[in-house]
Amino acid sequence: MAIPLYPEILVAISLCFLFLCHLRWNKSRTITNWPVVGMLPGLLQNASNVHEYVTWLLKQNGGTFKFKGPWFTNMTFMVTSDPMNINHMLSKNFSNYTKGQKFQEIFDVLGDGIFNSDSDSWTYQRKLLHTMLKDNKFKLFFEQFVKGKVEKSLVPVLDHISSFGIEVDLQDIFQRFTFDSACLVVLGFDPNCLSIEFPDVSYAKSFDQLEECLLYRHIVPERWWKLQRRLQIGSEKKLSHAWKVFDEFVYECISTKREEVTLKKEELKFNLLTAIVMEEQEGEMSTTITKSDKFLRDTATNLLAAGRDSISAGLTWLFWLLATHPSVEAKILEEIKEHLLDNGKSKDLNIDKLSKLVYLHGAVCESLRLFPPIPFEHKCSVQPDILPSGHSMRPNTTILYSLYSMGRMESIWGEDCLDFKPERWITEFGGIVHVPSFKFIAFNAGARTCLGKDIAFIQMKIIATAIIWKYHVRVVEDHPVSPSISVVLHMKHGLKVRISKRYA
């Protein structure tokens, strides 16, 4: 067993030596292809601001470049922010760019769920979820559910915080809210993470640990993290523990749901897990795989990840931008008064009324453009290909496209690309500007466009409207704000704020 590991030990020793040299002698933002260790030292040196570093490299290289990793590690891949390349991969030549084995190994915690699957498995799951999530009845159910959760959980907590004038991490509040919401919609179970007591819920915390460990797998050689996994040390030991805690929770929910559906002790309330189990028991499922607890576990995990992390991250960045751009907040307030108030009283909020909040919609889109919840995505080429940028792709080549970088490209958004301007999403006639999904990539594009896009906008607008109308949010002075180094673009230090009621 010692012989296969020898190259990894050699690379590790060389990497440590050259990395220390790099830190000592090279402080500039450059990308050097070193002997033996390739470009990895530059990446590690800039790991704390990796998204900005990759953005800078992409700008210096015309939007696409090849990253060369250490020898023996199979860590060479293409990186792009070119919309034409992305349109090519996600739409025009979709069949040639799959998730690939490497993606599935890195994100093994997602199992065979929709985010991790290709071919027939992906097609089946997408069809199944499309039928449920795109149904108008589900959208109406989801709208009423979110409004109820805001009134029963979010508002009481914010009232409590404002009455005592204490500092609070708004990111933590949003993560608790969206985890509760996702669990209710997917599993039919409310963990009550968001309450005045701010309970410490182990299986909710395990989500954060999983994300941190999964990013680690992106920035070290594959054999290195696999060795750690085999020996159960370091980051992989933490991942295994978090995975176990989360799986125990999900499988317990599955067992309870199967019992409820079988015995039918009471009228079942709607949730996605119940709907899938009922289809399974009624003979609608097509294979034995989809009838297994493993399929339910993978499906639930993927949906929980989408429902919790993307929405909470999106809301956190939105409220930071609003707090630092009071003129935008003022315009949204005026829009709320115009469309949601009648003689000083609030109207019943619904999807139709939400659609009239055009400026709020622009602010949400602008926030997602600058701070996409998923900052980068993977693809893997199946056959040889040439990208529109002229770069050649060999079979089994990994390509990363940076959603974060795309929002910061003058070639895509103009010279004011770094500015927060909801107006860029509004036509001169007051309508919403349509931007091709391969440019505004927050919800992916092509055949893999996010199925939850509509309900994500519904949830974000309902929450944003409730908070903006009722409360004034101020970021604590000198609070550091920067993206976390994670597969989800959370804030590294949270978002410390003070909240006061807008109207006494």
Side-chain angles (χ1 to χ4, degrees):
M1 292 298 294
I3 295 176
L5 296 179
Y6 179 75
E8 283 299 306
I9 296 173
L10 176 63
V11 168
I13 294 172
S14 301
L15 182 137
C16 290
F17 174 76
L18 288 179
F19 180 42
L20 289 173
C21 293
H22 195 65
L23 284 174
R24 180 176 179 181
W25 292 314
N26 189 359
K27 295 294 184 180
S28 62
R29 262 186 172 177
T30 59
I31 186 81
T32 303
N33 186 17
W34 295 86
V36 182
V37 294
M39 298 176 179
L40 187 59
L43 179 63
L44 292 177
Q45 182 184 4
N46 291 277
S48 61
N49 64 329
V50 65
H51 301 303
E52 293 294 343
Y53 179 60
V54 169
T55 300
W56 181 85
L57 289 174
L58 286 166
K59 288 182 177 180
Q60 296 300 308
N61 290 275
T64 305
F65 74 93
K66 180 181 285 188
F67 178 89
K68 296 181 179 180
W71 301 353
F72 319 118
T73 62
N74 191 28
M75 200 179 171
T76 296
F77 50 85
M78 198 75 74
V79 187
T80 190
S81 61
D82 187 328
M84 295 300 103
N85 285 347
I86 292 167
N87 188 37
H88 179 78
M89 291 187 296
L90 301 187
S91 297
K92 293 185 176 181
N93 200 12
F94 172 73
S95 61
N96 191 52
Y97 292 91
T98 64
K99 291 289 186 177
Q101 182 180 352
K102 184 177 290 187
F103 181 98
Q104 291 160 353
E105 288 180 343
I106 289 176
F107 290 95
D108 53 2
V109 68
L110 297 178
D112 299 317
I114 191 169
F115 294 151
N116 231 8
S117 58
D118 288 310
S119 305
D120 293 342
S121 175
W122 171 79
T123 301
Y124 175 80
Q125 292 184 63
R126 187 169 178 89
K127 183 179 179 181
L128 174 67
L129 295 175
H130 183 277
T131 301
M132 296 179 179
L133 298 179
K134 292 296 184 179
D135 187 276
N136 285 330
K137 291 182 180 179
F138 175 76
K139 291 181 183 179
L140 291 172
F141 154 78
F142 188 78
E143 171 201 315
Q144 294 301 319
F145 158 77
V146 174
K147 289 192 294 184
K149 190 66 178 173
V150 166
E151 293 171 3
K152 295 176 182 177
S153 295
L154 183 60
V155 169
V157 168
L158 295 182
D159 279 349
H160 174 77
I161 292 167
S162 64
S163 65
F164 284 93
I166 57 178
E167 293 181 9
V168 68
D169 181 359
L170 193 59
Q171 177 169 262
D172 181 45
I173 287 178
F174 287 145
Q175 286 180 319
R176 289 171 179 273
F177 180 94
T178 55
F179 188 74
D180 284 351
S181 299
C183 285
L184 270 166
V185 173
V186 177
L187 303 173
F189 170 75
D190 190 348
N192 287 313
C193 294
L194 182 60
S195 63
I196 294 173
E197 294 79 17
F198 285 86
D200 187 8
V201 181
S202 60
Y203 44 83
K205 291 290 185 183
S206 66
F207 243 70
D208 298 324
Q209 186 66 68
L210 289 171
E211 290 170 4
E212 181 182 326
C213 295
L214 290 177
L215 184 84
Y216 176 81
R217 289 180 172 183
H218 284 82
I219 59 177
V220 298
E222 180 181 345
R223 292 182 184 178
W224 186 252
W225 66 257
K226 285 186 175 180
L227 174 63
Q228 287 188 314
R229 183 175 64 181
R230 186 185 308 168
L231 299 177
Q232 280 298 286
I233 59 175
S235 177
E236 290 298 313
K237 181 179 180 180
K238 295 178 182 177
L239 187 147
S240 295
H241 175 72
W243 190 343
K244 180 181 178 181
V245 170
F246 184 74
D247 268 9
E248 287 175 352
F249 163 65
V250 175
Y251 277 116
E252 182 178 350
C253 289
I254 291 171
S255 176
T256 301
K257 195 60 59 184
R258 285 195 181 281
E259 184 177 348
E260 287 178 358
V261 173
T262 301
L263 299 177
K264 295 182 179 179
K265 291 182 178 179
E266 56 185 4
E267 185 178 349
L268 296 173
K269 294 183 179 179
F270 177 83
N271 57 78
L272 294 175
L273 184 59
T274 295
I276 294 173
V277 171
M278 289 181 70
E279 282 203 25
E280 170 195 308
Q281 295 194 358
E282 291 169 5
E284 298 295 329
M285 295 296 190
S286 60
T287 69
T288 55
I289 295 176
T290 58
K291 295 179 180 179
S292 68
D293 282 357
K294 172 70 163 51
F295 173 79
L296 294 176
R297 177 266 172 206
D298 293 347
T299 300
T301 300
N302 282 248
L303 291 173
L304 288 172
R308 185 252 194 180
D309 290 322
S310 57
I311 302 299
S312 63
L315 285 167
T316 302
W317 288 107
L318 172 64
F319 273 89
W320 174 68
L321 288 166
L322 293 178
T324 52
H325 295 78
S327 62
V328 173
E329 183 187 44
K331 289 180 181 179
I332 295 174
L333 271 170
E334 287 302 313
E335 190 174 57
I336 292 173
K337 290 178 183 178
E338 179 181 354
H339 297 291
L340 300 184
L341 292 184
D342 186 7
N343 294 324
K345 296 182 179 180
S346 60
K347 300 177 183 178
D348 182 39
L349 188 61
N350 56 44
I351 294 175
D352 289 336
K353 290 186 174 63
L354 283 174
S355 67
K356 295 180 180 179
L357 304 180
V358 175
Y359 198 80
L360 173 60
H361 182 91
V364 172
C365 289
E366 190 71 342
S367 175
L368 294 173
R369 178 184 72 84
L370 288 167
F371 300 101
I374 307 301
F376 61 90
E377 287 274 10
H378 292 218
K379 285 292 180 182
C380 183
S381 58
V382 178
Q383 299 294 333
D385 192 21
I386 297 179
L387 298 174
S389 61
H391 293 79
S392 298
M393 298 291 291
R394 294 181 179 180
N396 202 34
T397 298
T398 297
I399 181 166
L400 272 63
Y401 53 100
S402 173
L403 289 73
Y404 183 90
S405 300
M406 289 183 71
R408 287 159 171 72
M409 292 292 166
E410 291 185 9
S411 58
I412 301 175
W413 299 101
E415 294 181 357
D416 61 353
C417 61
L418 298 181
D419 296 339
F420 177 58
K421 291 178 60 178
E423 290 82 3
R424 79 173 79 239
W425 296 91
I426 303 172
T427 70
E428 59 180 316
F429 304 107
I432 295 172
V433 172
H434 171 72
V435 177
S437 57
F438 57 85
K439 286 181 60 179
F440 177 52
I441 196 75
F443 294 97
N444 223 322
R448 282 190 180 264
T449 297
C450 177
L451 288 170
K453 179 179 178 179
D454 292 341
I455 61 175
F457 272 115
I458 290 171
Q459 186 170 11
M460 290 185 72
K461 288 179 183 178
I462 290 174
I463 295 170
T465 299
I467 295 178
I468 293 169
W469 179 247
K470 292 177 180 289
Y471 307 98
H472 180 56
V473 178
R474 291 173 295 143
V475 178
V476 172
E477 189 175 356
D478 296 328
H479 174 68
V481 173
S482 61
S484 65
I485 307 305
S486 173
V487 292
V488 178
L489 201 69
H490 296 303
M491 285 191 179
K492 184 176 182 179
H493 305 287
L495 182 59
K496 295 289 186 180
V497 301
R498 289 186 182 275
I499 297 173
S500 57
K501 286 190 176 183
R502 195 175 292 279
Y503 303 107

